[in-house]
Amino acid sequence: MSGIIDSAGSKSGVIGTTELDYEEGSWTAVVSDGTNHMTMHSSYTTGYYTKIGNLVTVSGYLYTTSTGSASGDLYILGLPFTVANDIAAYSGGGAANGTGLSITAGESVSYYGRKNETAISLRVWDSTLGATNMQASEWSSDGSIIFGFSYRVA
């Protein structure tokens, strides 16, 4: 790919005859119930992203020091770009690592990008019917998660 870098650090280039938008940077995330944010450890709130065209890849290691008044379903908020508003745009993955979680041995954490939002839904594989929404009660004050996935942007 040949290309240029503009003054904001964004890159654009050409592959064959197609011009692609390229951008990379960091983003700040928070674990939340959508209204009440958990207190994040100051060293573990930043993730990285790379955007090529309409595809964004994100990664992060999030660590909390308090659950605060979070209750109910849990999300990771603050994705750098809005997920496309299309059923085909759903994507997600499984946590690479997690600590300080109040889940049963053998259960695992998964997640998916919420269409038309800058949020990730956290899920727990704890039912014979599949995954359920992760609850604030399943995350402890010193909880952490490592994740990464790619998604289509709006």
Side-chain angles (χ1 to χ4, degrees):
M1 177 169 99
S2 61
I4 60 169
I5 301 174
D6 68 18
S7 60
S10 292
K11 302 172 188 175
S12 63
V14 177
I15 295 179
T17 59
T18 304
E19 185 170 339
L20 293 177
D21 173 45
Y22 179 91
E23 183 178 334
E24 59 187 27
S26 60
W27 61 289
T28 302
V30 63
V31 179
S32 176
D33 64 8
T35 302
N36 304 298
H37 300 339
M38 294 186 178
T39 304
M40 306 300 295
H41 187 289
S42 61
S43 297
Y44 300 95
T45 62
T46 302
Y48 292 110
Y49 74 88
T50 301
K51 179 179 179 285
I52 302 173
N54 66 353
L55 184 65
V56 177
T57 300
V58 294
S59 63
Y61 180 13
L62 304 179
Y63 189 102
T64 58
T65 58
S66 169
T67 58
S69 56
S71 64
D73 299 350
L74 282 185
Y75 308 93
I76 297 172
L77 304 180
L79 285 173
F81 300 93
T82 302
V83 176
N85 188 16
D86 190 300
I87 259 185
Y90 279 121
S91 65
N97 191 43
T99 61
L101 304 178
S102 298
I103 60 177
T104 302
E107 295 176 347
S108 60
V109 177
S110 63
Y111 48 82
Y112 69 90
R114 296 176 57 87
K115 64 182 188 156
N116 205 35
E117 295 184 28
T118 56
I120 299 168
S121 284
L122 292 172
R123 311 275 289 168
V124 177
W125 285 90
D126 59 358
S127 167
T128 57
L129 300 176
T132 62
N133 293 331
M134 185 175 207
Q135 301 297 299
S137 60
E138 295 175 303
W139 191 286
S140 65
S141 59
D142 63 347
S144 72
I145 189 172
I146 297 173
F147 65 96
F149 76 110
S150 296
Y151 66 97
R152 297 278 182 205
V153 298

